[in-house]
Amino acid sequence: MDSRAVREAMVQKLVAQGLQHPGVRQAFAATERHRFVDSGLVAQAYEDTSLPIGWGQTISKPSVVARMLELLCDGRAERLGRVLEIGTGCGYQAALLSHLCREVYSMERVKGLHERARENLRPLRLPNVHLIFGDGMPGFPSGGPYAGIVSAAGGQDIPAAWLEQLAVGGRLVAPAELAPGRQSLVVVERTPGGYVKNVLEAVLFVPLKSGVA
Ligand code: SAH
């Protein structure tokens, strides 16, 4: 499939919706989303829609991924340092992150998805992406401290371990159900004086679950 034109059209739509960061744009233009979904869904791969990836999970729609990555980069043109991703899923966002930061540590609690992501990413040869099978709730201390932490799954609150592993000057972007039945996108910045939390728009991500499956 020569997907360049259709991918470029997707990027143009994201730009029309407000995507500004040049690095995020370039990452979307360079990453073939159709490689990360089942063959039966390839025709929909560049639509702004979430798609099933098996094990009851979904790959987020491109506009939501763009929003998260733009918040993570916070207008900075330079590459981020180490970034922790919670919820590798099919590996698509990890591939995007590989363009935006020096090292990506991506954790997935479902073994089958972890293995699927490894297969999806292998042909891309991204030496700075490290896939970890395990529960991401306790974070991954040995890769930190992190310039960025991004989660594709939302719990009741932001786990304390993630905040601890965030570097001073770092940013965390994650969904959380801060009020019952209402999941919101949360951004936390770690400043020399402490943590600054901002609650943004309502979102709908899969639940953050503990343990492995
Ligand atoms: N970024 C992914 C999105 C996957 S959906 C992609 O591009 O495909 C969110 C993922 O989070 C699911 O695969 C789910 O299994 C995973 N997840 C949920 N709770 C988790 C936890 N505690 N640790 C690691 N992964 C978790």
Side-chain angles (χ1 to χ4, degrees), residues 28-99:
F28 273 100
T31 308
E32 298 183 319
R33 192 170 184 255
H34 70 271
R35 287 180 178 272
F36 293 86
V37 298
D38 283 346
S39 51
L41 298 171
V42 162
Q44 294 169 64
Y46 296 103
E47 288 172 16
D48 194 22
T49 171
S50 56
L51 293 170
I53 52 174
W55 291 272
Q57 306 300 319
T58 52
I59 174 175
S60 308
K61 59 180 183 176
S63 56
V64 169
V65 179
R67 171 86 171 129
M68 306 268 286
L69 295 180
E70 199 157 45
L71 285 168
L72 195 71
C73 293
D74 187 30
R76 284 172 290 196
E78 68 278 10
R79 262 181 195 247
L80 298 174
R82 293 189 293 269
V83 168
L84 175 65
E85 178 188 38
I86 312 296
T88 312
C90 65
Y92 176 64
Q93 184 171 277
L96 294 169
L97 283 167
S98 75
H99 295 269

Side-chain angles (χ1 to χ4, degrees), residues 152-164:
Q156 304 280 316
D157 207 345
I158 307 293
W162 299 359
L163 297 174
E164 281 159 22

Side-chain angles (χ1 to χ4, degrees), residues 62-134:
S63 56
V64 169
V65 179
R67 171 86 171 129
M68 306 268 286
L69 295 180
E70 199 157 45
L71 285 168
L72 195 71
C73 293
D74 187 30
R76 284 172 290 196
E78 68 278 10
R79 262 181 195 247
L80 298 174
R82 293 189 293 269
V83 168
L84 175 65
E85 178 188 38
I86 312 296
T88 312
C90 65
Y92 176 64
Q93 184 171 277
L96 294 169
L97 283 167
S98 75
H99 295 269
L100 298 168
C101 57
R102 280 206 303 277
E103 304 294 334
V104 185
Y105 295 86
S106 182
M107 303 187 74
E108 174 55 58
R109 66 178 289 278
V110 177
K111 182 89 188 207
L113 276 170
H114 165 76
E115 285 166 358
R116 173 74 63 86
R118 194 173 287 295
E119 272 169 38
N120 289 341
L121 289 167
R122 186 174 294 124
L124 305 187
R125 296 169 188 273
L126 303 171
N128 64 339
V129 176
H130 313 285
L131 300 182
I132 301 135
F133 168 58

